Amino acid sequence: MVNNQQISEFINYNYTPFNKIQCIKRLFIIWITGAILSFLGKKIVLWLLLLGMVDLFISIMFITLIVRYSQFQIARYTCDGVFYLYMAVALNLAAYRVIAMQSGSNWWLAVILMSLLILCMSIFVYIVFFNIKSGSYSEKHISKRTVSLPCLGGIIGVFVARFLLPEQSQQEALTLLSYILLITSFIMCIPSINLLKVLLYKNYIKK
Protein backbone atom coordinates (compact mmCIF):
# COMPACT_ATOMS: atom_id res chain seq x y z
CA MET A 1 0.00 0.00 0.00
CA VAL A 2 1.33 3.43 -0.97
CA ASN A 3 1.09 6.12 1.71
CA ASN A 4 0.96 9.92 1.42
CA GLN A 5 4.59 10.33 2.46
CA GLN A 6 5.81 8.09 -0.37
CA ILE A 7 3.59 9.92 -2.87
CA SER A 8 4.91 13.27 -1.64
CA GLU A 9 8.49 12.04 -2.09
CA PHE A 10 7.72 11.00 -5.66
CA ILE A 11 6.04 14.30 -6.50
CA ASN A 12 8.95 16.31 -5.11
CA TYR A 13 11.62 14.09 -6.67
CA ASN A 14 14.05 16.19 -8.76
CA TYR A 15 11.61 19.10 -8.69
CA THR A 16 12.63 22.34 -10.40
CA PRO A 17 10.47 25.50 -10.40
CA PHE A 18 8.25 26.34 -13.35
CA ASN A 19 10.06 28.29 -16.05
CA LYS A 20 7.92 30.57 -18.21
CA ILE A 21 10.57 30.96 -20.93
CA GLN A 22 11.00 27.20 -21.20
CA CYS A 23 7.23 26.78 -21.47
CA ILE A 24 7.09 29.30 -24.32
CA LYS A 25 9.97 27.57 -26.12
CA ARG A 26 8.19 24.25 -25.81
CA LEU A 27 5.09 25.81 -27.29
CA PHE A 28 7.08 26.84 -30.38
CA ILE A 29 8.53 23.32 -30.63
CA ILE A 30 5.02 21.86 -30.50
CA TRP A 31 3.80 24.06 -33.37
CA ILE A 32 6.90 23.38 -35.47
CA THR A 33 6.62 19.63 -34.85
CA GLY A 34 2.93 19.66 -35.77
CA ALA A 35 3.65 21.55 -39.00
CA ILE A 36 6.44 19.17 -40.04
CA LEU A 37 4.34 16.12 -39.21
CA SER A 38 1.46 17.48 -41.31
CA PHE A 39 3.65 17.78 -44.40
CA LEU A 40 4.91 14.19 -44.21
CA GLY A 41 3.06 12.19 -46.83
CA LYS A 42 -0.49 12.74 -48.09
CA LYS A 43 -3.68 14.44 -46.78
CA ILE A 44 -1.73 17.49 -45.67
CA VAL A 45 -4.79 19.69 -45.13
CA LEU A 46 -6.50 17.12 -42.90
CA TRP A 47 -3.40 16.68 -40.77
CA LEU A 48 -2.93 20.45 -40.54
CA LEU A 49 -6.49 20.88 -39.28
CA LEU A 50 -6.32 18.06 -36.73
CA LEU A 51 -2.90 18.95 -35.37
CA GLY A 52 -3.73 22.65 -35.51
CA MET A 53 -6.68 22.12 -33.17
CA VAL A 54 -4.56 20.05 -30.77
CA ASP A 55 -1.75 22.64 -30.84
CA LEU A 56 -4.24 25.44 -30.22
CA PHE A 57 -5.67 23.63 -27.19
CA ILE A 58 -2.17 23.08 -25.77
CA SER A 59 -1.31 26.73 -26.45
CA ILE A 60 -4.31 27.88 -24.41
CA MET A 61 -3.33 25.49 -21.63
CA PHE A 62 0.30 26.67 -21.52
CA ILE A 63 -0.67 30.35 -21.64
CA THR A 64 -3.03 29.73 -18.72
CA LEU A 65 -0.20 28.08 -16.79
CA ILE A 66 2.07 31.05 -17.48
CA VAL A 67 -0.48 33.73 -16.59
CA ARG A 68 -2.34 32.16 -13.65
CA TYR A 69 -0.50 29.17 -12.21
CA SER A 70 3.23 29.80 -12.71
CA GLN A 71 3.83 29.99 -8.94
CA PHE A 72 2.30 26.57 -8.30
CA GLN A 73 4.16 23.29 -8.34
CA ILE A 74 1.52 21.66 -10.51
CA ALA A 75 2.34 24.04 -13.39
CA ARG A 76 5.77 22.45 -13.75
CA TYR A 77 4.39 18.93 -13.92
CA THR A 78 1.60 19.87 -16.33
CA CYS A 79 3.96 21.62 -18.74
CA ASP A 80 6.47 18.75 -18.66
CA GLY A 81 3.89 16.01 -18.91
CA VAL A 82 1.86 17.52 -21.76
CA PHE A 83 4.94 18.49 -23.76
CA TYR A 84 6.61 15.08 -23.62
CA LEU A 85 3.36 13.23 -24.21
CA TYR A 86 2.74 15.36 -27.29
CA MET A 87 6.26 14.73 -28.59
CA ALA A 88 5.96 10.98 -27.97
CA VAL A 89 2.68 10.77 -29.87
CA ALA A 90 3.99 13.04 -32.65
CA LEU A 91 7.12 10.94 -33.14
CA ASN A 92 5.00 7.79 -33.13
CA LEU A 93 2.79 9.27 -35.84
CA ALA A 94 5.89 10.44 -37.72
CA ALA A 95 7.19 6.88 -37.74
CA TYR A 96 3.89 5.75 -39.25
CA ARG A 97 3.92 8.55 -41.83
CA VAL A 98 7.46 7.64 -42.90
CA ILE A 99 6.45 4.00 -43.31
CA ALA A 100 3.37 5.10 -45.27
CA MET A 101 5.68 6.91 -47.73
CA GLN A 102 6.96 3.51 -48.79
CA SER A 103 4.03 1.12 -48.41
CA GLY A 104 0.97 3.37 -48.46
CA SER A 105 -1.57 4.20 -45.77
CA ASN A 106 -2.51 1.45 -43.37
CA TRP A 107 -4.51 2.57 -40.34
CA TRP A 108 -4.14 -0.81 -38.67
CA LEU A 109 -0.40 -0.18 -38.59
CA ALA A 110 -1.00 3.23 -37.03
CA VAL A 111 -3.16 1.61 -34.35
CA ILE A 112 -0.50 -1.02 -33.65
CA LEU A 113 2.28 1.57 -33.32
CA MET A 114 0.14 3.72 -31.00
CA SER A 115 -0.78 0.64 -28.97
CA LEU A 116 2.92 -0.10 -28.50
CA LEU A 117 3.40 3.44 -27.17
CA ILE A 118 0.48 3.03 -24.75
CA LEU A 119 1.90 -0.30 -23.62
CA CYS A 120 5.30 1.30 -23.03
CA MET A 121 3.70 4.06 -20.94
CA SER A 122 1.65 1.55 -18.96
CA ILE A 123 4.75 -0.48 -18.11
CA PHE A 124 6.55 2.64 -16.98
CA VAL A 125 3.61 3.68 -14.78
CA TYR A 126 3.74 0.24 -13.17
CA ILE A 127 7.48 0.63 -12.57
CA VAL A 128 6.94 4.07 -11.04
CA PHE A 129 4.31 2.78 -8.61
CA PHE A 130 6.63 -0.09 -7.70
CA ASN A 131 9.42 2.43 -7.00
CA ILE A 132 7.06 4.63 -4.96
CA LYS A 133 6.09 1.67 -2.83
CA SER A 134 9.73 0.64 -2.33
CA GLY A 135 10.75 4.19 -1.34
CA SER A 136 13.06 4.76 -4.29
CA TYR A 137 12.20 8.47 -4.41
CA SER A 138 13.13 9.15 -0.79
CA GLU A 139 16.48 10.64 -1.82
CA LYS A 140 16.96 13.22 -4.53
CA HIS A 141 19.27 12.25 -7.36
CA ILE A 142 20.17 14.80 -9.97
CA SER A 143 19.55 13.55 -13.48
CA LYS A 144 19.57 15.48 -16.69
CA ARG A 145 18.09 14.27 -19.96
CA THR A 146 18.76 15.81 -23.33
CA VAL A 147 16.02 14.98 -25.82
CA SER A 148 16.34 17.91 -28.22
CA LEU A 149 19.10 16.38 -30.33
CA PRO A 150 17.33 13.05 -31.07
CA CYS A 151 14.20 14.96 -32.11
CA LEU A 152 16.14 17.39 -34.26
CA GLY A 153 18.11 14.54 -35.81
CA GLY A 154 14.91 12.68 -36.68
CA ILE A 155 13.37 15.75 -38.31
CA ILE A 156 16.48 16.51 -40.35
CA GLY A 157 16.78 12.85 -41.29
CA VAL A 158 13.32 12.89 -42.90
CA PHE A 159 14.32 15.58 -45.36
CA VAL A 160 17.80 14.20 -45.99
CA ALA A 161 16.36 10.78 -46.80
CA ARG A 162 13.54 12.21 -48.88
CA PHE A 163 15.47 14.57 -51.12
CA LEU A 164 19.19 13.81 -51.09
CA LEU A 165 19.56 10.03 -51.28
CA PRO A 166 19.25 7.74 -54.31
CA GLU A 167 16.00 5.80 -54.63
CA GLN A 168 17.21 2.45 -53.27
CA SER A 169 19.22 4.01 -50.46
CA GLN A 170 16.33 6.36 -49.80
CA GLN A 171 13.97 3.45 -49.06
CA GLU A 172 16.49 1.83 -46.72
CA ALA A 173 17.09 5.15 -44.98
CA LEU A 174 13.38 5.75 -44.51
CA THR A 175 12.97 2.30 -42.99
CA LEU A 176 15.81 2.98 -40.57
CA LEU A 177 14.40 6.42 -39.82
CA SER A 178 10.99 4.97 -38.97
CA TYR A 179 12.64 2.67 -36.41
CA ILE A 180 14.60 5.58 -34.93
CA LEU A 181 11.47 7.72 -34.66
CA LEU A 182 9.53 4.88 -33.02
CA ILE A 183 12.25 4.16 -30.46
CA THR A 184 12.63 7.88 -29.72
CA SER A 185 8.86 8.02 -29.26
CA PHE A 186 9.11 5.37 -26.54
CA ILE A 187 11.93 7.28 -24.86
CA MET A 188 10.03 10.57 -25.01
CA CYS A 189 7.00 9.06 -23.29
CA ILE A 190 9.01 8.50 -20.10
CA PRO A 191 9.00 12.15 -18.87
CA SER A 192 5.26 12.31 -19.58
CA ILE A 193 4.95 10.49 -16.25
CA ASN A 194 4.75 14.04 -14.86
CA LEU A 195 1.05 13.85 -15.71
CA LEU A 196 0.83 11.13 -13.06
CA LYS A 197 2.33 13.64 -10.63
CA VAL A 198 -0.46 16.07 -11.55
CA LEU A 199 -3.08 13.41 -10.80
CA LEU A 200 -1.48 12.39 -7.51
CA TYR A 201 -0.96 16.03 -6.50
CA LYS A 202 -4.66 16.78 -6.96
CA ASN A 203 -5.84 13.67 -5.13
CA TYR A 204 -3.36 13.44 -2.27
CA ILE A 205 -1.35 16.63 -1.74
CA LYS A 206 -3.91 19.33 -2.49
CA LYS A 207 -6.52 17.83 -0.16
Side-chain angles (χ1 to χ4, degrees):
M1 184 70 179
V2 178
N3 58 48
N4 285 10
Q5 177 62 29
Q6 292 170 322
I7 291 173
S8 179
E9 289 170 350
F10 165 64
I11 290 175
N12 292 308
Y13 183 78
N14 279 350
Y15 172 73
T16 55
F18 179 73
N19 188 315
K20 294 181 180 180
I21 301 300
Q22 183 187 55
C23 191
I24 294 172
K25 288 179 179 178
R26 286 176 171 178
L27 200 51
F28 279 111
I29 293 174
I30 285 173
W31 279 96
I32 292 171
T33 302
I36 293 174
L37 179 57
S38 298
F39 283 96
L40 289 177
K42 302 176 181 179
K43 299 182 180 179
I44 295 175
V45 175
L46 177 61
W47 282 85
L48 279 172
L49 289 174
L50 293 175
L51 290 173
M53 288 189 291
V54 174
D55 294 353
L56 180 60
F57 176 78
I58 295 176
S59 298
I60 295 172
M61 181 189 302
F62 278 18
I63 291 171
T64 303
L65 292 177
I66 293 171
V67 174
R68 298 187 57 184
Y69 300 101
S70 59
Q71 71 272 28
F72 295 107
Q73 193 175 5
I74 198 171
R76 169 94 247 176
Y77 303 140
T78 303
C79 181
D80 288 350
V82 171
F83 173 74
Y84 285 109
L85 179 61
Y86 178 92
M87 294 303 298
V89 173
L91 288 168
N92 191 282
L93 291 173
Y96 164 73
R97 299 273 278 171
V98 170
I99 295 173
M101 287 181 181
Q102 308 170 69
S103 57
S105 298
N106 185 338
W107 288 107
W108 278 111
L109 176 61
V111 170
I112 291 172
L113 295 182
M114 196 59 64
S115 298
L116 289 174
L117 179 62
I118 294 172
L119 176 62
C120 180
M121 294 175 64
S122 301
I123 292 173
F124 190 69
V125 168
Y126 173 81
I127 293 173
V128 166
F129 271 108
F130 178 83
N131 288 337
I132 293 174
K133 189 175 181 180
S134 62
S136 299
Y137 300 104
S138 58
E139 296 181 1
K140 185 175 180 180
H141 302 281
I142 299 174
S143 63
K144 199 171 184 179
R145 299 183 184 92
T146 303
V147 294
S148 301
L149 291 179
C151 296
L152 182 61
I155 292 171
I156 293 174
V158 171
F159 292 98
V160 170
R162 186 71 181 86
F163 297 111
L164 300 183
L165 298 178
E167 186 173 350
Q168 184 176 359
S169 298
Q170 179 186 109
Q171 187 170 359
E172 295 174 357
L174 288 176
T175 301
L176 177 61
L177 178 60
S178 65
Y179 287 128
I180 293 174
L181 289 170
L182 188 61
I183 293 171
T184 308
S185 167
F186 296 154
I187 296 172
M188 292 289 281
C189 81
I190 295 176
S192 68
I193 201 66
N194 281 282
L195 291 176
L196 177 61
K197 289 186 176 183
V198 174
L199 182 62
L200 293 175
Y201 182 89
K202 284 187 172 183
N203 286 279
Y204 292 92
I205 305 301
K206 198 175 180 181
K207 284 184 177 180

